[in-house]
Amino acid sequence: MNYEVYALKYGERDTTACQFFYRESSHEPITLHYFVWLILGGPQPILVDTGFRDDDAKARHIRNYVSPAAVVERAGVKVADIPIALITHLHYDHWAGHSLFPASEFWVQRDEVAFWTGPYARYEAFNQSQNVPALADLVPLNYAGRIRILDGDREVRPGIHVYRVGGHTAGLQIVTVQTARGTVVLTSDASHFYRNVERWQPVQIITSLPEMLAAFERIHELAGPEKLIVAGHDPQVSDRFKQVEPGIVKIA
Ligand SMILES: [Zn+2]
């Protein structure tokens, strides 16, 4: 199966290198781009992550915010037609937009759900990246049959896989997709920027530093020689791949 993969940008935020990378001293300004990803070419579209809603956009000073659902529709897919959304992890910018996708079943790792409902979630070191009401929604959604809790690596559809890598969060999963150009690896926040995976530079937000480093290895291994690696928040995604219109990047 040859799928097509799109990165859809829905916002931007400015910070500095020292606020973001692990033990980094440079005050160099950096900009994060916020994406959801779309996998087309199968019987039905598959979404990767849900972004967030305008409440988080306002509270967290996000520039150029547009609703992730609006970008998905601009890419030609109705939100009502997306049966599966793979959730890489439960940070606000990947999960808090779940209600924008009312027809989707959300696939998330068991370790991720356990962490954010477990003993460490209460500490300030971890609770800054959360939208708590969105996390609370996990329970009613689960009882409504809309959460699929995964335990490790698995095939989603022929040619689409998730791999639990952890590191940045306890149950972070990355996604691979077979395309005509080779295997696309959607790293999400296993590698926010290309400098993470290419220069082996971790970020500050971590649950396990060894797992984060092992995740870099895994990404290279899964990508193979074509190196179709899509970093989770890097503005370079729009330069390394083909921007078909503003905010819509065709990876393969
Ligand atoms: Zn993120």
Side-chain angles (χ1 to χ4, degrees):
M1 184 66 85
N2 276 339
Y3 297 97
E4 291 181 359
V5 183
Y6 292 85
L8 309 177
K9 178 163 102 57
Y10 66 89
E12 300 174 11
R13 184 171 68 87
D14 299 319
T15 183
T16 54
C18 57
Q19 287 288 313
F20 199 77
F21 295 103
Y22 186 73
R23 304 182 78 173
E24 169 66 57
S25 58
S26 159
H27 296 275
E28 164 206 357
I30 56 170
T31 298
L32 284 91
H33 282 186
Y34 289 81
F35 297 100
V36 296
W37 302 271
L38 201 52
I39 304 168
L40 303 180
Q44 287 162 310
I46 292 180
L47 183 71
V48 178
D49 289 340
T50 66
F52 50 77
R53 304 180 57 127
D54 45 10
D55 56 337
D56 274 305
K58 282 195 196 83
R60 298 172 189 268
H61 309 292
I62 304 294
R63 283 195 282 115
N64 299 326
Y65 173 78
V66 287
S67 163
V71 196
V72 165
E73 302 238 337
R74 197 148 59 75
V77 172
K78 291 195 169 57
V79 295
D81 296 339
I82 303 174
I84 295 177
L86 306 174
I87 304 302
T88 63
H89 61 305
L90 292 170
H91 279 165
Y92 81 97
D93 54 321
H94 301 261
W95 172 241
H98 69 77
S99 59
L100 301 169
F101 302 96
S104 304
E105 182 179 270
F106 304 109
W107 293 31
V108 61
Q109 288 287 328
R110 174 153 94 175
D111 291 346
E112 188 70 10
V113 175
F115 186 90
W116 297 113
T117 52
Y120 300 105
R122 62 181 293 186
Y123 297 106
E124 204 182 314
F126 286 117
N127 68 20
Q128 305 292 303
S129 304
Q130 295 306 332
N131 178 312
V132 176
L135 277 180
D137 290 341
L138 283 167
V139 174
L141 284 168
N142 194 19
Y143 280 83
R146 291 187 54 209
I147 303 287
R148 188 169 295 263
I149 297 182
L150 312 178
D151 193 9
D153 307 347
R154 72 170 275 174
E155 184 181 74
V156 178
R157 291 280 181 269
I160 304 175
H161 290 80
V162 293
Y163 299 88
R164 182 215 162 274
V165 295
H168 171 64
T169 63
L172 178 71
Q173 57 184 351
I174 62 175
V175 181
T176 62
V177 186
Q178 300 308 319
T179 73
R181 293 186 59 204
T183 303
V184 168
V185 183
L186 299 173
T187 74
S188 181
D189 295 358
S191 183
H192 295 75
F193 287 87
Y194 283 102
R195 73 194 253 187
N196 299 125
V197 72
E198 292 176 355
R199 292 193 242 156
W200 305 88
Q201 187 174 14
V203 295
Q204 292 182 14
I205 306 162
I206 36 181
T207 54
S208 164
L209 192 51
E211 277 193 339
M212 181 171 281
L213 294 165
F216 297 155
E217 292 284 1
R218 197 82 200 270
I219 291 165
H220 286 294
E221 197 181 284
L222 291 166
E226 292 88 11
K227 293 257 176 259
L228 300 174
I229 295 170
V230 183
H233 288 275
D234 199 326
Q236 278 188 35
V237 168
S238 313
D239 308 325
R240 293 192 182 203
F241 300 97
K242 188 172 183 260
Q243 184 154 228
V244 291
E245 59 174 277
I248 300 183
V249 182
K250 184 174 181 183
I251 307 300

